[in-house]
């Protein structure tokens, strides 16, 4: 009885092998906003050194953004500077979502591994920000039924995109700007990367200006879907010796 109670309280600690019924429910997959006249600018692969400047640019123009972050990708989410920057971005009112712990292609993993990828980043976001996010963006936009089923067990939905600025796959600033201009009117969730310098320095501002000139409201992904961003919001935890990445402790 007591064990069951603990298990319910701390599902995050249950890294037991998972098996999924073929008929298990699947996470909902969103790739566009549902609230008219809203657009969500999203930034993947951080937390990274450009988080602050993107956050400040958004804030200075009355816009909100959504950051899909990893635990260990370009750097370790628990590193002091990285965690502090993520807290700044969150405290500025932008939405923070999961992009898995280590940015794998989820279709190459089994249920246990998928659950671990989702739980480890959830744990980090709970410690560093005090939140439990409702949303995951599968890396590369790649997912299968198993990934949806594991995510559904954890009450997550997937958020994809309906426009890719191309910033992480070699598009120049001019090409990304042209792509935004050309698709304007059909864009509701725009994929960009926090890890791209030209995105942070120029593209974000360009995109905000274009959307605002066209009369769109730039909101978080949750807001553009009319959903709650988090199932839990509390204070961050105190740093302790669990704040490290097993892959590399680059504090
Ligand atoms: C998932 O893969 C890992 C690593 O290959 C393996 O150790 C584990 O037994 C697998 N679990 C299941 C449920 O297949
Ligand atoms: C998941 O959502 C269901 C339905 O809203 C709720 O009953 C359940 O408690 C949630 N579980 C967790 C772990 O948040
Ligand atoms: C928007 O999408 C529709 C349907 O795919 C297409 O016909 C239209 O040309 C697009 N408009 C713009 C501005 O890209
Ligand atoms: Zn990514």
């Amino acid at each position: 009885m007591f064990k069951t109670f603990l298990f319910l309280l701390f599902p995050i600690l249950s890294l037991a092998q998972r098996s999924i019924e073929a008929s298990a429910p699947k996470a909902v997959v969103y790739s566009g906003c549902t609230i008219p006249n809203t657009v969500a600018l999203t930034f993947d692969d951080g937390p990274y050194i450009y988080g602050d400047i993107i956050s400040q640019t958004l804030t200075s123009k009355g816009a909100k953004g959504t950051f899909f972050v990893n635990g260990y990708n370009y750097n370790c989410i628990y590193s002091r500077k990285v965690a502090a920057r993520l807290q700044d971005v969150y405290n500025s009112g932008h939405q923070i979502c999961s992009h898995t712990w280590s940015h794998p292609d989820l279709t190459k993993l089994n249920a246990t591994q998928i659950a671990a990828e989702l739980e480890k980043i959830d744990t980090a976001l709970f410690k560093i920000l005090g939140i439990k996010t409702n949303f995951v963006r599968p890396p590369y936009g790649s997912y299968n039924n198993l990934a949806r089923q594991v995510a559904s067990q954890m009450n997550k939905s997937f958020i994809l995109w309906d426009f890719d600025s191309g910033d992480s796959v070699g598009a120049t600033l001019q090409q990304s700007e042209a792509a935004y201009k050309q698709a304007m009117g059909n864009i509701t969730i725009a994929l960009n990367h926090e890890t791209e310098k030209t995105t942070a320095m120029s593209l974000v501002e360009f995109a905000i200006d274009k959307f605002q000139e066209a009369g769109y409201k730039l909101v978080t992904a949750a807001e553009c879907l009319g959903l709650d961003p988090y199932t839990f919001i509390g204070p961050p935890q105190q740093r302790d010796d669990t704040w490290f990445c097993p892959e590399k402790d680059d504090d």
Side-chain angles (χ1 to χ4, degrees):
M1 177 66 187
F2 184 59
K3 255 188 170 162
T4 310
F5 178 67
L6 275 183
F7 178 76
L8 290 174
L9 251 188
F10 298 105
I12 239 157
L13 298 177
S14 65
L15 285 172
Q17 296 283 313
R18 298 217 167 203
S19 58
I20 303 276
E21 300 280 330
S23 62
K26 300 180 187 76
V28 178
V29 181
Y30 299 101
S31 50
C33 296
T34 55
I35 307 290
N37 233 38
T38 62
V39 168
L41 296 178
T42 68
F43 303 93
D44 287 12
D45 294 0
Y48 197 63
I49 50 174
Y50 303 127
D52 275 339
I53 180 155
I54 294 172
S55 167
Q56 286 158 15
T57 303
L58 289 160
T59 300
S60 72
K61 291 175 175 284
K64 295 277 188 263
T66 303
F67 294 76
F68 290 88
V69 301
N70 299 117
Y72 188 83
N73 187 3
Y74 287 82
N75 47 32
C76 170
I77 196 169
Y78 287 118
S79 298
R80 281 173 198 279
K81 281 186 188 158
V82 176
R85 204 185 305 112
L86 181 62
Q87 288 171 333
D88 280 350
V89 173
Y90 171 72
N91 290 334
S92 299
H94 306 300
Q95 186 186 351
I96 311 295
C97 305
S98 165
H99 195 37
T100 73
W101 177 260
S102 69
H103 208 274
D105 178 345
L106 294 180
T107 64
K108 306 221 152 70
L109 304 186
N110 66 33
T112 307
Q113 294 169 312
I114 295 167
E117 280 289 336
L118 300 183
E119 284 171 358
K120 281 163 74 182
I121 180 66
D122 270 12
T123 301
L125 295 179
F126 180 72
K127 288 179 177 174
I128 297 167
L129 303 176
I131 59 168
K132 284 192 180 183
T133 178
N134 280 328
F135 299 107
V136 178
R137 174 170 285 164
Y140 317 104
S142 175
Y143 62 90
N144 54 16
N145 283 343
L146 183 64
R148 287 176 66 188
Q149 288 169 325
V150 174
S152 172
Q153 284 188 341
M154 299 169 70
N155 274 13
K156 309 284 192 203
S157 300
F158 286 167
I159 296 184
L160 303 180
W161 57 87
D162 55 19
F163 171 80
D164 181 353
S165 71
D167 64 346
S168 75
V169 291
T172 62
L173 177 61
Q174 289 69 26
Q175 287 167 339
S176 289
E177 289 180 352
Y180 266 109
K181 270 203 288 208
Q182 207 230 320
M184 184 86 25
N186 277 342
I187 305 173
T188 67
I189 301 181
L191 170 66
N192 306 276
H193 290 78
E194 183 184 336
T195 47
E196 293 296 326
K197 189 172 182 183
T198 51
T199 294
M201 301 303 174
S202 311
L203 186 60
V204 189
E205 188 171 8
F206 174 88
I208 297 170
D209 289 346
K210 283 287 169 243
F211 283 114
Q212 290 183 338
E213 279 162 22
Y216 292 99
K217 197 169 173 222
L218 292 165
V219 301
T220 65
E223 207 177 333
C224 95
L225 291 166
L227 301 170
D228 289 329
Y230 311 115
T231 39
F232 181 84
I233 302 176
Q237 309 290 297
Q238 293 296 317
R239 174 176 289 274
D240 63 24
D241 60 12
T242 65
W243 290 40
F244 78 101
C245 296
E247 295 87 349
K248 179 164 167 266
D249 195 6
D250 57 359
D251 229 347

